[in-house]
Amino acid sequence: MRRGGWWHPVRRGGASKMQASQGATLLTLVLWALCSPVLSTEGKRKLQIGVKKRVDNCPVKSRKGDVLHMHYVGKLEDGTEFDSSLTRDQPFVFTLGTGQVIKGWDQGLLGMCEGEKRKLVIPSELGYGDRGAPPKIPGGATLIFEVELLKIERRQEL
């Protein structure tokens, strides 16, 4: 039935061809939105964790509250190095899961073994965000870290 110059399907016991077509179009759009990383994540990327060196004997894995001794090299996506504990020949020591480091580290270093090496690709939301850390890290930068866990100090349970 035509009303006002455009097609308006009338419901009479079944879906019209127009309704079926609209349903298929809507389903296609919904599936595209769910599967499309650009649309579904709105610019947010996930933390990527790659294991570069595994450890066979691992009686203790890092967890929140542990004091970790780490060596690391931090680079931007273009390969520019912005920081390294190796050049200082001094491990970086911090407490995991307490906000002493960027969120990408607090998340990406969980479950590590002493001697293990990982590569972390950290989106800006879990790094320094839109502000960056001038002058070496621009706003919105994805950070790439090669990390090695040297030692875990486990605090005794109270």
Side-chain angles (χ1 to χ4, degrees), residues 48-53 116-121 145:
Q48 296 175 43
I49 303 169
V51 178
K52 306 272 290 179
K53 178 186 169 197
E116 184 178 336
K117 292 182 181 181
R118 289 184 180 179
K119 179 179 180 179
L120 306 177
V121 180
F145 285 94

Side-chain angles (χ1 to χ4, degrees), residues 125-137:
E125 296 85 11
L126 298 177
Y128 294 100
D130 292 335
R131 287 187 176 177
K136 294 188 176 186
I137 302 173

Side-chain angles (χ1 to χ4, degrees), residues 22-93:
Q22 287 174 337
T25 301
L26 180 59
L27 179 62
T28 300
L29 287 173
V30 167
L31 288 172
W32 181 73
L34 292 173
C35 296
S36 171
V38 173
L39 187 60
S40 67
T41 58
E42 289 292 319
K44 291 184 182 178
R45 293 182 7 196
K46 289 186 176 182
L47 170 66
Q48 296 175 43
I49 303 169
V51 178
K52 306 272 290 179
K53 178 186 169 197
R54 295 191 189 282
V55 175
D56 291 331
N57 184 17
C58 182
V60 178
K61 293 186 177 190
S62 62
R63 65 182 186 200
K64 185 177 178 179
D66 287 344
V67 175
L68 303 185
H69 297 245
M70 307 287 306
H71 265 313
Y72 69 91
V73 176
K75 296 181 181 181
L76 301 175
E77 283 183 298
D78 67 4
T80 304
E81 186 176 305
F82 59 82
D83 194 14
S84 173
S85 65
L86 295 172
T87 58
R88 293 187 295 276
D89 197 28
Q90 181 76 30
F92 179 62
V93 181

Side-chain angles (χ1 to χ4, degrees), residues 97-108:
T98 60
Q100 293 180 5
V101 293
I102 59 175
K103 289 179 183 178
W105 270 43
D106 269 343
Q107 294 174 17

